[in-house]
Amino acid sequence: MKKAIISTLIAASLLSSTAAFSAELTPINPQEELAYNLGLQAFIYGAGPMTVAQVRQTSTSVKTPMDNGMAPMNMMGKTVSLAGPDDKIVPTVNNDTLYSQSHINLNQTGPLVIEIPPTNNRYFIVQLLDDYSEAVGNLIEGNVGKDGGKYLLVNKGWKSASGKTPDGIDGIIESRTPFVWYIQRTGVAGNKDLNAALKIHDGFINYPLSELGQQHLSVKLTHAKGGIPPMARPQGLDWYKLIDKELRNNPIPADASIVDQFKYIDIGKDKPFDPDNLTADQKKGLMRALNAAPQIIEYAGRNLGTKNNGWSMMFKGGKYGNDFLSRASINFRAGGLNTKERALYPNRYTDEDGQQLSGKNQYRMTMPADAPAKAFWSLTMYDAKHLFMVPNSINRYSISSSRKDELTYNKNGSLTVCIQHDKPLDAQCNWLPTPEDNFYLHMRLYEPTQAVLDNTYQLPQVIKQ
């Protein structure tokens, strides 16, 4: 009896306290605010799969494999020239390598053979990303060898009829989602090296396991008149329709505790997301979230993460774990990022004084002789707003250590880069032309050294003259 009385008194006290607390609050529209908060979280969580889906939708919107990297679903497109200002499928596409690209649905293809040719010491990587932009495998010379090989890409939990690795297969790679983004890169030491690079590049192919042992020729490509077009962009609440579709087709059971709450805004329910099923207040909250989320993600890209002498290091590329904000930020700046061990992407918007980089000024950067990349490094120029390359008078979009015949080194082996809009007076300085307005610098360290992975190597500063 006493326990019942005590429980009643405690409950009454709590209700009284809650009522008093509530009386002090500024009234809100709970339905709108709940939709806003969950919409914000859903957009940040869904930015990874949403970016991959946008690239997939655009890249596969052709009828035959193309020589700009586009191809129908489950087929392979390839680039046959280095990327430039016309290539706008994702921000910060590189100017250092040729690309092969496939968007794969393993539920349709079944196990897929990834074939790698002999590469004759040329840099290459086959990068495999799941639908959330998480790396499921990287094939490089270090784990494949110089003579090439065949690897099998499968859905998680797949087993062969015999329970053993099929004959002729060198290894098996599992994906936690049926949708996989295959990105292959072949290093090119400038246009003079292009034809030699293409001969090896042609040998990267993939095909269903049922075709193993058959003869396969290089991909027959249709010529594209231009680069890959910009990503398709949903309008209004259709952003949430896209997020719902990707989460529905590629569920991650481990994330259920996060994703299940999105059901309050009709994401992840039994039926696909339909804005018409929302109330006016829910729609208002979600539209507010659509306005806020990209700005929050951009803030994260500029201000969060590990810094090194003014550079943002992006150590989490391809391996995000539960850091969904980093995943969103990195995908918005550089979709399809490699893991840090394969390529590290220091980037910056500002000079040594923290001021926005601008083509109205002149800058210098000197890479030391002991550049922290075992393969090669590059520095690429992009506009600050959209992160695309900008046309310039000499058609130079990057400075790369793989193109030594184009560069002038200092006597001590270091390399100075003149970063400015107009041609520098110093003919010995390596000119990287800038746009007239604000710009963004993106460094690539291919096969970075342990010192830079440990963040003990100090990267060169960008100094305003």
Side-chain angles (χ1 to χ4, degrees), residues 256-316:
S257 59
I258 299 163
V259 175
D260 281 354
Q261 66 181 325
F262 301 152
K263 292 179 180 178
Y264 287 107
I265 51 173
D266 278 9
I267 291 176
K269 283 189 171 182
D270 293 337
K271 295 182 179 180
F273 178 88
D274 183 350
D276 291 340
N277 293 331
L278 301 174
T279 67
D281 289 333
Q282 286 176 313
K283 291 179 182 178
K284 187 176 179 180
L286 289 181
M287 290 303 296
R288 285 174 51 207
L290 283 177
N291 177 63
Q295 297 180 65
I296 291 170
I297 292 169
E298 182 184 4
Y299 161 80
R302 286 176 175 259
N303 297 282
L304 302 183
T306 305
K307 299 293 184 182
N308 181 316
N309 214 19
W311 298 89
S312 177
M313 298 305 288
M314 296 171 77
F315 283 122
K316 292 192 175 181

Side-chain angles (χ1 to χ4, degrees), residues 52-327:
V52 175
Q54 287 177 274
V55 175
R56 182 173 63 241
Q57 180 180 345
T58 301
S59 297
T60 61
S61 61
V62 291
K63 296 180 179 180
T64 60
M66 309 293 287
D67 65 2
N68 64 354
M70 300 174 71
M73 195 72 188
N74 301 321
M75 299 180 74
M76 180 184 289
K78 289 178 177 284
T79 62
V80 296
S81 60
L82 295 174
D86 291 335
D87 297 285
K88 297 179 179 179
I89 181 63
V90 293
T92 66
V93 65
N94 84 49
N95 183 239
D96 309 319
T97 70
L98 298 169
Y99 283 92
S100 302
Q101 179 180 224
S102 293
H103 289 278
I104 299 158
N105 183 347
L106 290 170
N107 287 341
Q108 296 174 352
T109 65
L112 198 74
V113 177
I114 295 171
E115 186 166 325
I116 298 172
T119 50
N120 194 26
N121 293 316
R122 182 175 294 275
Y123 173 83
F124 78 90
I125 183 171
V126 173
Q127 176 190 10
L128 300 167
L129 297 172
D130 70 17
D131 195 57
Y132 291 74
S133 72
E134 190 85 2
V136 297
N138 284 315
L139 298 171
I140 59 171
E141 184 179 291
N143 56 26
V144 171
K146 299 176 183 178
D147 298 327
K150 296 182 179 68
Y151 295 81
L152 197 62
L153 175 65
V154 301
N155 265 322
K156 189 173 183 178
W158 177 86
K159 299 292 182 184
S160 67
S162 66
K164 299 179 181 179
T165 300
D167 291 340
I169 295 296
D170 297 299
I172 294 178
I173 300 170
E174 284 192 336
S175 173
R176 63 178 182 166
T177 64
F179 284 80
V180 179
W181 187 7
Y182 168 111
I183 311 172
Q184 182 270 322
R185 300 169 176 89
T186 301
V188 185
N191 286 323
K192 294 179 182 178
D193 183 45
L194 186 58
N195 287 336
L198 283 168
K199 291 178 181 178
I200 292 175
H201 190 58
D202 285 347
F204 290 88
I205 57 176
N206 57 48
Y207 46 85
L209 177 60
S210 60
E211 298 179 9
L212 181 63
Q214 299 178 19
Q215 182 180 7
H216 291 88
L217 302 176
S218 57
V219 179
K220 184 178 180 181
L221 301 170
T222 299
H223 177 61
K225 294 182 180 180
I228 299 180
M231 287 190 295
R233 293 175 60 85
Q235 298 297 317
L237 295 178
D238 282 349
W239 285 100
Y240 291 105
K241 184 180 293 186
L242 179 58
I243 291 171
D244 174 72
K245 180 180 178 181
E246 293 308 300
L247 303 193
R248 186 180 300 278
N249 290 336
N250 298 272
I252 303 295
D255 290 351
S257 59
I258 299 163
V259 175
D260 281 354
Q261 66 181 325
F262 301 152
K263 292 179 180 178
Y264 287 107
I265 51 173
D266 278 9
I267 291 176
K269 283 189 171 182
D270 293 337
K271 295 182 179 180
F273 178 88
D274 183 350
D276 291 340
N277 293 331
L278 301 174
T279 67
D281 289 333
Q282 286 176 313
K283 291 179 182 178
K284 187 176 179 180
L286 289 181
M287 290 303 296
R288 285 174 51 207
L290 283 177
N291 177 63
Q295 297 180 65
I296 291 170
I297 292 169
E298 182 184 4
Y299 161 80
R302 286 176 175 259
N303 297 282
L304 302 183
T306 305
K307 299 293 184 182
N308 181 316
N309 214 19
W311 298 89
S312 177
M313 298 305 288
M314 296 171 77
F315 283 122
K316 292 192 175 181
K319 289 291 183 184
Y320 306 103
N322 292 327
D323 191 346
F324 306 127
L325 184 57
S326 286
R327 184 171 76 188

Side-chain angles (χ1 to χ4, degrees), residues 430-444:
N430 300 281
W431 182 29
L432 182 58
T434 74
E436 293 181 346
D437 300 316
N438 294 344
F439 63 88
Y440 165 88
L441 289 174
H442 200 84
M443 192 185 297
R444 290 176 171 85

